[in-house]
Amino acid sequence: SHDEAVEAVNRIANELASEYGVRIRWQENTLSFERPALSGHIAVHEDDIVIDASVGLSLMFFRQDIEREIDRLIEAEFR
């Protein structure tokens, strides 16, 4: 359900906040996360979620690690 997806995205965001120090905030059905050199959002729709993230130059070396971590968190919540 949509509410379960929102709860799952919230758990993912809390993990990102803990691991990468991002600030998180909800605006309607979209969770935004941000810190220097890392920002993005996760939009929760009725049938899917859409993730968009940007990694700045200072974290570019860690880009693949960050992507893998986000993928792992999503897989754990939505499999």
Side-chain angles (χ1 to χ4, degrees):
S1 78
H2 183 266
D3 290 341
E4 291 171 330
V6 167
E7 289 175 18
V9 168
N10 211 38
R11 286 190 295 272
I12 291 168
N14 287 330
E15 283 284 328
L16 292 173
S18 175
E19 191 159 336
Y20 297 106
V22 296
R23 292 182 312 277
I24 57 174
R25 69 178 167 83
W26 282 95
Q27 184 173 4
E28 296 183 19
N29 290 321
T30 301
L31 181 137
S32 297
F33 56 92
E34 184 176 22
R35 64 157 274 176
L38 176 62
S39 63
H41 63 269
I42 304 173
V44 181
H45 303 288
E46 288 299 321
D47 297 328
D48 64 358
I49 62 169
V50 178
I51 302 166
D52 180 40
S54 297
V55 178
L57 289 176
S58 64
L59 290 178
M60 193 58 68
F61 180 75
F62 301 103
R63 180 174 177 249
Q64 288 183 329
D65 294 335
I66 294 167
E67 286 176 352
R68 277 194 290 267
E69 180 63 11
I70 292 171
D71 287 344
R72 184 192 69 76
L73 292 169
I74 290 168
E75 181 67 26
E77 290 292 339
F78 290 102
R79 60 178 142 115

